[in-house]
């Protein structure tokens, strides 16, 4: 059987297909499959590959990839000590949640924590003047911090090659484009190819690299979800714009565990790490109000007090509603079944609402008692 000479890839989601069709089988977009030639047999072998020799695993230094602290306590907590040389970290979150503030503070703090390490910010969304004004507003030291105002991938890589920074930040990956790729900047193809090029640079030069990405509320578009397999660490920066609390969680981390939670308070001088966030989590709690309870949970190695709220009311429709925020819906259904069975309450035909304040996601089974 003859070997095919080309395949097709969706410009929206990147799904490969052996043949053309009008509709992508994965994302459902129409007329987005683009033909791409397959490399000739044997061409995938890199030049100079014969010079790479296997090494005994026993001879590899186990301490060679130790993390370096960024100087931001909550970031280092989530990253199990800090950023590792050559690692690629993706920080995703909704626009306006404070990602640029977080990475700028990390840039300035990393330069101090590492004893004058050089840091480089690729500002693809803002001008250098805007970055400097934000640094002044945050009171962040700018010594040994460099900025390049560009949205072109090659310009960014050339600037990084000349400076040879210890930490490289790209803000944001959606606004970086490669002119050699035919698709529009911000498309799935552009985001994926640019991220892959930056990852290759990070591995080749042992440069800790951070990519900032936007996520829409429905998780659509070519955001960080298309890049998770390309990077070493995926961080999610979340919070409520109407509240000062922000939290950082790792959904993927090749250099440590993913159970830690970093908590910040957004103030006039930027993000402040919270060593004891329970006061902020319960700051506006009204004691003695029915349907609310302070519940102790453990996130990673940190104990927290969060407020759970629940409402149980007769349903006036044929299909009772189950509305849950920050708590597993399947566990709420189980609790309602136990209540109906054990207490003889008509829970099956009632509307039930449950929420954890400040948008914190609670997965610990100990919270079930508080919900009940």
């Amino acid at each position: 059987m003859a070997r095919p000479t080309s395949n097709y890839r969706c410009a929206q989601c990147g799904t490969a297909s052996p043949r053309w069709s009008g509709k992508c089988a994965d994302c459902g977009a129409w007329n987005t499959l683009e033909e791409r030639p397959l490399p000739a047999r044997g061409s995938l072998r890199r030049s100079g590959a014969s010079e790479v020799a296997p090494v005994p695993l026993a001879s590899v230094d186990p301490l060679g990839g130790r993390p370096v602290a960024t100087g931001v306590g909550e970031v280092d907590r989530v990253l199990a000590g800090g950023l590792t040389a050559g690692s690629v970290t993706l920080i995703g979150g909704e626009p306006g949640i404070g990602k640029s503030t977080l990475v700028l503070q990390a840039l300035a703090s990393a330069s101090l924590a590492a004893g004058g390490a050089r840091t480089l910010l690729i500002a693809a969304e803002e001008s250098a003047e805007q970055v400097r004004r934000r640094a002044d507003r945050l009171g962040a030291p700018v010594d040994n911090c460099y900025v390049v105002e560009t949205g072109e991938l090659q310009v960014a890589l050339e600037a990084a090659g000349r400076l040879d920074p210890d930490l490289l930040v790209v803000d944001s990956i959606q606004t970086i484009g490669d002119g050699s790729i035919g698709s529009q900047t911000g498309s799935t193809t552009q985001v994926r190819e640019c991220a892959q090029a930056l990852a290759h640079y990070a591995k080749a030069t042992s440069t800790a690299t951070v990519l900032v990405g936007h996520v829409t509320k429905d998780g659509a578009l070519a955001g960080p979800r298309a890049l998770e397999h390309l990077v070493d660490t995926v961080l999610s920066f979340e919070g409520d714009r109407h509240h000062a609390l922000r939290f950082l969680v790792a959904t993927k981390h090749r250099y440590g565990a993913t159970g830690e939670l970093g908590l910040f308070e957004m103030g006039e001088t930027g993000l402040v790490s919270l060593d004891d966030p329970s006061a902020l989590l319960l700051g506006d709690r009204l004691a003695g109000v029915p349907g609310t309870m302070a519940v102790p949970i453990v996130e990673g190695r940190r104990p927290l007090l969060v407020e759970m709220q629940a409402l149980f009311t007769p349903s006036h429709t044929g299909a009772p509603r189950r509305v849950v925020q920050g708590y597993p819906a399947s566990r709420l259904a189980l609790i309602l079944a136990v209540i109906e069975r054990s207490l003889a309450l008509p829970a099956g035909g009632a509307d039930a609402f449950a929420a954890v304040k400040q948008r914190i996601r609670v997965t610990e089974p100990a919270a079930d008692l508080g919900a009940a």
Side-chain angles (χ1 to χ4, degrees):
M1 182 180 295
R3 180 177 181 267
T5 59
S6 63
N7 69 350
Y8 297 85
R9 188 174 294 274
C10 177
Q12 292 293 329
C13 67
T15 301
S17 174
R19 62 184 62 87
W20 186 90
S21 62
K23 182 179 180 181
C24 175
D26 191 25
C27 68
W30 287 91
N31 300 322
T32 57
L33 294 183
E34 300 175 350
E35 184 177 7
R36 294 191 176 186
L38 292 174
R41 190 181 301 273
S43 64
L44 294 178
R45 185 176 299 158
R46 295 182 291 111
S47 60
S50 59
E51 301 175 2
V52 180
V55 298
L57 184 59
S59 66
V60 177
D61 183 8
L63 302 180
R66 298 184 66 179
V68 178
T70 64
V72 180
E74 294 301 289
V75 174
D76 294 336
R77 176 197 294 269
V78 175
L79 292 177
L83 292 169
T84 304
S87 65
V88 183
T89 301
L90 175 68
I91 299 180
E94 296 178 6
I97 204 65
K99 300 184 300 296
S100 297
T101 299
L102 177 64
V103 296
L104 184 57
Q105 290 185 217
L107 275 171
S109 300
S111 179
L112 294 177
R118 286 178 297 185
T119 60
L120 174 61
L121 171 64
I122 305 299
E125 292 189 355
E126 299 178 318
S127 65
E129 292 77 14
Q130 287 176 301
V131 176
R132 177 55 193 270
R133 286 196 296 269
R134 176 184 284 116
D136 292 342
R137 186 172 68 253
L138 301 176
V142 294
D143 296 336
N144 293 318
C145 295
Y146 296 80
V147 60
V148 173
E149 181 184 339
T150 183
E152 299 181 15
L153 175 65
Q154 295 304 322
V155 174
L157 291 176
E158 291 172 3
R162 287 193 299 269
L163 181 64
D164 190 21
D166 300 285
L167 173 60
L168 173 66
V169 174
V170 179
D171 187 10
S172 68
I173 188 62
Q174 272 95 354
T175 51
I176 289 286
D178 186 352
S180 63
I181 301 175
S183 58
Q184 185 180 3
T185 299
S187 65
T188 304
T189 303
Q190 280 279 8
V191 171
R192 184 178 58 250
E193 297 298 330
C194 291
Q196 194 164 21
L198 290 165
H200 287 166
Y201 168 82
K203 303 300 182 183
T205 61
S206 297
T207 303
T209 302
V210 177
L211 309 179
V212 178
H214 297 307
V215 176
T216 58
K217 291 185 177 180
D218 57 358
L221 271 173
R225 302 187 189 281
L227 306 179
E228 291 181 351
H229 68 287
L230 295 176
V231 300
D232 302 305
T233 303
V234 179
L235 302 178
S236 178
F237 194 55
E238 304 173 7
D240 190 345
R241 296 186 186 181
H242 305 291
H243 196 276
L245 183 67
R246 301 287 187 272
F247 49 97
L248 184 70
V249 295
T251 58
K252 173 186 177 181
H253 191 32
R254 287 176 176 163
Y255 302 100
T258 59
E260 290 295 336
L261 175 68
L263 290 160
F264 302 86
E265 182 179 8
M266 176 67 81
E268 296 182 356
T269 58
L271 293 163
V272 180
S273 298
L274 293 176
D275 295 328
D276 183 15
S278 296
L280 183 62
L281 293 172
L282 301 178
D284 54 354
R285 170 172 165 76
L286 299 177
V289 177
T292 68
M293 176 173 287
V295 178
I297 63 171
V298 176
E299 288 292 334
R301 293 172 295 177
R302 161 182 280 175
L304 295 174
L305 281 174
V306 299
E307 180 180 341
M308 293 196 66
Q309 300 176 340
L311 179 62
F312 183 68
T313 180
S315 177
H316 299 288
T317 61
R321 290 185 295 170
R322 303 288 186 264
V323 181
V324 186
Q325 178 179 330
Y327 184 74
S330 59
R331 297 237 295 272
L332 176 64
L334 176 62
I335 290 174
L336 290 176
V338 172
I339 289 176
E340 184 169 17
R341 178 78 174 184
S342 302
L343 303 180
L345 292 176
D351 293 336
F353 306 86
V356 182
K357 291 195 64 177
Q358 318 306 347
R359 296 181 62 175
I360 289 184
R361 295 188 181 94
V362 174
T363 59
E364 186 176 347
D368 293 349
L369 181 59

